[in-house]
Amino acid sequence: MRYDRDIKNAKAIDRSSSRKTRSIPDITSRNPSPPQLHPHNTPSMEATMVLLPGENVPTDHLPKPKKGKLTLGPGLQHTPPSTISATTAGSLQVDHRKAALWLEHAGGRYQPSVGDLVIAQVHHSSVDTFSCALTPHTSFAILGQLAFEGVSKKTRPQLKAGDVVYARVSKASKWEDVEIECFNSATGKAEGMGQLKGGMVFDVRPAFARRLMMGTDKEGVSKGGVVVLEEVGGKVKFEVAVGRNGKVWVDSGSVRETVMIGQLLRGADEGGWDVEGQRKAVKKALRDV
Amino acid sequence: MGPDISHHPLQGADGSVTFSSNLCSILAAANGPVEVQRRDELPEEAAVEVNIRPPSGVSGPRERWLESVVAAVLRSVLHLHMHPRTLVQITLQITKAPSSTLKGAIRDVALLPSLINASFLALLDGGLPLRSTVAAVFLAVVGMGEVREDPSEKELAGCKSVHGLAYNNHGDLLLSESSGSFDLAEWENIADQAEETCRAAMAPLDEDGVVMKGTMSSGPWLRQELTDKAQAAVAWREAT
């Protein structure tokens, strides 16, 4: 499932080479045959009940599926025929429009799923693939050397160990290696993916990265509750790319500005600042620059 | 209410927690699912590795035995088949152990429930997939057959037997270690009490937030901790 692209439009970003961050929902259909559930007439209210591991989702909280298919996100497991149980402790989030439900859990390691935009670092290259790391201490993800826009066998991309790329997960299963690609295989266009030159990569929690990628709603208010980048973009020129695997790449005019943006993001993530707190911290940091 | 818990004290580990009961304090860290050594790799499930470090000195056979018990319990709790050919690694540092005036066997049995509670909370903090919720409790039979839950060291001085038991939220018994002199009828009585305590630890909260049940159990501490943590994680949703 894919949403319209939401381009981050900070005032001073250099448009010609800006990386676009897309708001892609976290929900992937984890089951080969989703359950055929009895439709319910419940109002579309978001449930805030907290489930512990092993507990089943009560049937009155399940959304009414239009086509009879229910999509399960992270934190939920389907046991045929019709039991949905929690695999972690989190608050149950329900989207009645998309007939999807998931558990919201802060922290944890990123698990690759198809369609996610990630920032990968090349570790080494072999005959026709690059081996890239998405998260530390896990097996490498495979990036084909021809998985770029406009390359052929004669003109391959020149990536060395340590280079950073913005890619999309094309294959993720528990039985095989994860595969990523730097172009949209349906259209053949790069769409902002490819090598990220210069700049610096900062670590954030995957849940925070998802909030950054949520984009803005109709009034321009950030859906994820993070305004740091918009506020900073008013005064400082920078490029940013957000990877769902908990990495944010920032490139700005000077090292000081880059580090400042990275520290603001880390602070918003670990400090749990709300919108007002973020604005105050940004103002304070901009005074020194 | 209940034991003293602090969440995510370590930044380097995927999940971490410090857990303190009356007798001991544990710092637990969980990492996973991560890359596994070829020799430990299992084709259809994740491998579980537990490391226990004593508060002082070098770890020895006692720690190896504790590790084997904790690993066996965690294998029933984790969703091992979700991540085949990976490793789930748990490190437990005992920061405060029961005093050495107690017998060795009593100290070991006293440590196990705290080790299991700490590992479970660390795995949860790290977002690893779990099949059920586990609560463990340490009980001692003192004096004239009276059963004390999570006793202090003074109460343990003249105890007849000590028992460490763990139950999950489906009612299964996952851990049963005992030391001392007792008969089967006594053990059954203790097992019933332990099940009631563990169930109370995971009992659902009512509208006011906390349900205090009876004099023996320390209330739904596990449910309360996890609910607070989960609600803090979505605090940003209510703000926007």
Side-chain angles (χ1 to χ4, degrees), chain B residues 3 17-28 70 92 94 96 98 108-121 136-138 150 164-165 175 221:
Chain B
V17 76
T18 57
F19 182 93
S20 301
S21 66
N22 271 336
L23 284 174
C24 50
S25 298
I26 318 270
L27 168 63
V70 174
L92 297 154
I94 306 173
K96 187 186 111 177
D108 293 342
V109 176
L111 277 171
L112 275 170
S114 299
L115 289 171
I116 294 197
N117 283 328
S119 330
F120 174 76
L121 288 165
V137 66
F138 175 57
D150 200 21
L165 292 107
L175 169 82
W221 58 269

Side-chain angles (χ1 to χ4, degrees), chain A residues 112-135:
Chain A
S113 61
V114 177
D116 282 349
L117 285 170
V118 292
I119 292 181
Q121 184 168 37
V122 176
H123 185 265
H124 64 272
S125 63
S126 68
V127 176
D128 41 28
T129 56
F130 296 109
S131 290
C132 312
L134 295 184
T135 47

Side-chain angles (χ1 to χ4, degrees), chain A residues 229-247:
Chain A
L229 293 176
E230 278 87 0
E231 298 283 315
V232 176
K235 300 276 176 359
V236 175
K237 192 163 106 129
F238 68 97
E239 285 178 54
V240 70
V242 182
R244 182 70 177 80
N245 54 333
K247 305 236 186 278

Side-chain angles (χ1 to χ4, degrees), chain B residues 26 50-54 60-74 92 94 104-113 115-116 119 175 177:
Chain B
I26 318 270
V50 181
N51 294 303
I52 298 185
R53 305 269 170 261
R62 164 166 287 141
E63 282 73 32
R64 297 295 151 260
W65 175 72
L66 290 170
E67 284 166 14
S68 69
V69 176
V70 174
V73 174
L74 295 179
L92 297 154
I94 306 173
I106 296 184
R107 268 183 284 148
D108 293 342
V109 176
L111 277 171
L112 275 170
L115 289 171
I116 294 197
S119 330
L175 169 82
E177 292 288 336

